[in-house]
Amino acid sequence: MRIFSGIRPTGGLHIGNYLGAIKQWIALQETNECVFCIVDLHAITTPYEPKELQKNILETTAVYLAAGINPEKSIIFVQSDVKEHAELAWLLGTICPMGELSRMTQFKDKSRQHKDYVNAGLFTYPVLMAADILLYRSKAVPVGKDQEQHVELARTIAKKFNQKFGKIFPEPETITPKVGAKIMSLTDPKRKMSKSDDPKSYISLFDSPEAITKKIMSATTDSGKDITYNVTKKPGISNLLTIYSLLTDRPVEDIQREFHKKSYADFKKSLAKILIDYLEPFRRKQVELQTRDVYIKEMLNKGASRAKTIAETTMKEVREKMGLS
Ligand code: TYM
C-alpha cells in the first residue's frame, strides 16, 4: 500500500508531532511503500522568516532520520523540489467547492491567530494537501486528529475528480493512532499541543534536559493528589499519563499502579527522566547535522528524484483526462 504524510518545517517540532504522526510512520514503513514529505509550500502560508526556512527544512529532515525513517526504504523529500505538487493543486482547485474550504477548522483557527496574514494560500491550503496525497495515489495518510478533516476533503476531491474525468485516484483513508492522536498542551491541557504556542506549552524534540525537566515540573496538573486517568476531571494528569504510556510502551493502568500513593512531583520527575532519555537521539542528530548537511541534502535530492518519477506519471494521466494534453 502507498502511504503519504508530511510535516511543515516551521521549527519547534514537538512530541505531539512525534506521537501523533511520526511514531506511526516508523512501523508503517516496514510493510508499505511510504512517501514522507517536508511540506515547505504549506509552511509559508503563515508568517515565517525566509532566512530560517532552509535551516528548518534540514532540522525537520533530521527529526525524520533520528526517529528512524529509513531513506533506503522510504522516500524523503522536500515538497517544493517536485513542482507537480503546485501544478496538481491548481488543477484540483478548479473542482474543489469554496464551501468545503470555508468549513475547515484549521483555516478558521489560523486566521484567528494571524489576523493580518489571512492569505489565499492559507484558504486553499487543503487543496495543496489533497494534491500531495493524490499525486502519489496514496491509499492511506498517517496523521494526528487535527488533520482528519483535511484528509476527508482529499477523499471528496478524489471522488469528484474520478466521477468527472475518469478514475485515477484511490480515496485515501486517515490512519490515526488509538492513543496519542491529540497530545494536549502542558500549560492548558484542554487545548492541543501546538508549535505556534508558548514554548512552555510543548516539549520540543530538541529541548535540552534542563528545559524538559523545567517544563514537565511546571506542567499544569489538576486538583487532588491521585495519579489517575480521567480526561474530564483530570485533563493535565491524563495527558501526562498518555505521554508516559506511549514513550514506555506500558499500559496506563500499569503506570497508575506504580505511582499509587506517590506525589505528582514523583510522577513528573520520572516522566522528565523518560523524556530526556527518549529524546537523546534527537539532540544528538541535531548536533551531527551541523557537520552532515551535505549528506542530508544529497539524500533529499535522491528522494525528490524518486518522488518525481511517480508524480510525473500521475500528472501525465491527469493532464490527459482533463483535456490539457
Ligand atoms: P503539522 O506540521 O501541523 O503537523 C504534523 C503532524 O503532527 C500531528 N500533530 C499532532 N498529533 C498529536 N497531537 C498533537 N498535539 C499534534 N500536533 C500536530 C499532525 O496531525 C500532523 O500529522 N497539513 C499538515 C501537513 C501536511 C500533510 C500533507 C500531512 C501537508 N500535506 C499531506 C499529511 C498528508 C500539517 O500542517 O501538519
Side-chain angles (χ1 to χ4, degrees):
M1 175 157 85
R2 171 105 32 84
I3 285 183
F4 185 97
S5 198
I7 293 189
R8 284 172 302 140
T10 42
L13 287 196
H14 53 67
I15 51 167
N17 300 127
Y18 176 75
L19 297 172
I22 306 173
K23 194 165 180 260
Q24 309 190 74
W25 303 358
I26 314 302
L28 287 167
Q29 73 175 346
E30 294 308 321
T31 46
N32 298 282
E33 188 187 350
C34 291
V35 184
F36 298 125
C37 189
I38 293 133
V39 291
D40 54 348
L41 297 176
H42 280 110
I44 61 174
T45 58
T46 43
Y48 78 105
E49 194 47 70
K51 285 198 201 86
E52 300 271 298
L53 190 53
Q54 290 305 312
K55 178 182 123 287
N56 288 340
I57 289 173
L58 290 181
E59 238 178 49
T60 307
T61 315
V63 167
Y64 286 16
L65 296 176
I69 312 271
N70 180 352
E72 301 297 322
K73 280 199 185 119
S74 302
I75 299 180
I76 306 177
F77 76 106
V78 180
Q79 187 184 32
S80 66
D81 283 343
V82 179
K83 307 281 183 271
E84 285 76 4
H85 287 249
E87 183 185 0
L88 184 58
W90 176 260
L91 301 181
L92 297 181
T94 64
I95 58 163
C96 176
M98 293 273 285
E100 293 280 349
L101 292 175
S102 328
R103 291 194 309 109
M104 296 291 120
T105 49
Q106 182 170 300
F107 173 71
K108 291 184 199 159
D109 288 349
K110 295 252 185 281
S111 29
R112 225 173 287 133
Q113 219 174 349
H114 308 289
K115 286 200 173 57
D116 49 1
Y117 214 89
V118 185
N119 56 81
L122 187 65
F123 187 65
T124 56
Y125 179 116
V127 182
L128 177 59
M129 185 159 156
D132 296 341
I133 298 166
L134 301 182
L135 197 49
Y136 301 93
R137 302 186 212 215
S138 321
K139 290 223 170 85
V141 185
V143 281
K145 195 141 191 59
D146 63 330
Q147 295 300 316
E148 268 180 341
Q149 196 186 27
H150 287 164
V151 181
E152 186 56 41
L153 180 62
R155 284 174 66 80
T156 305
I157 293 177
K159 226 183 274 172
K160 261 184 168 294
F161 186 100
N162 291 342
Q163 274 162 5
K164 207 170 159 61
F165 301 111
K167 191 162 173 18
I168 297 191
F169 300 122
E171 292 172 22
E173 304 278 352
T174 309
I175 307 179
T176 45
K178 276 204 191 77
V179 183
K182 192 172 182 186
I183 298 292
M184 309 310 276
S185 153
L186 297 179
T187 48
D188 179 0
K190 296 229 160 85
R191 286 168 46 152
K192 186 188 76 158
M193 183 177 280
S194 164
K195 51 190 153 180
S196 49
D197 274 354
D198 180 344
K200 278 206 242 48
S201 69
Y202 61 81
I203 303 284
S204 149
L205 296 173
F206 298 126
D207 268 346
S208 68
E210 298 72 35
I212 294 174
T213 307
K214 214 164 155 193
K215 289 182 189 180
I216 292 294
M217 294 315 286
S218 59
T220 304
T221 35
D222 319 284
S223 54
K225 286 186 185 150
D226 299 338
I227 294 156
T228 45
Y229 188 90
N230 183 328
V231 179
T232 15
K233 291 197 181 133
K234 286 175 159 284
I237 282 292
S238 303
N239 189 39
L240 297 183
L241 273 167
T242 301
I243 298 170
Y244 201 118
S245 158
L246 289 168
L247 295 180
T248 54
D249 275 329
R250 283 172 59 192
V252 164
E253 300 73 44
D254 194 24
I255 303 161
Q256 283 179 172
R257 221 171 295 126
E258 181 185 338
F259 288 95
H260 180 62
K261 298 231 159 100
K262 292 204 178 134
S263 67
Y264 282 170
D266 290 332
F267 170 64
K268 283 174 157 183
K269 258 183 233 155
S270 173
L271 175 59
K273 162 108 184 45
I274 283 160
L275 271 161
I276 291 168
D277 293 347
Y278 199 96
L279 298 181
E280 196 274 329
F282 291 89
R283 293 190 294 277
R284 195 165 12 99
K285 209 71 183 180
Q286 194 192 28
V287 175
E288 202 183 301
L289 174 70
Q290 280 141 18
T291 55
R292 295 199 72 199
D293 65 336
V294 175
Y295 157 76
I296 290 189
K297 282 183 188 154
E298 226 166 74
M299 184 213 75
L300 288 172
N301 284 340
K302 270 196 206 135
S305 100
R306 286 169 70 195
K308 220 171 163 41
T309 310
I310 306 171
E312 277 171 353
T313 313
T314 306
M315 279 316 295
K316 190 168 173 297
E317 256 188 76
V318 169
R319 284 188 211 106
E320 279 166 14
K321 293 264 193 237
M322 289 186 80
L324 293 160
S325 70

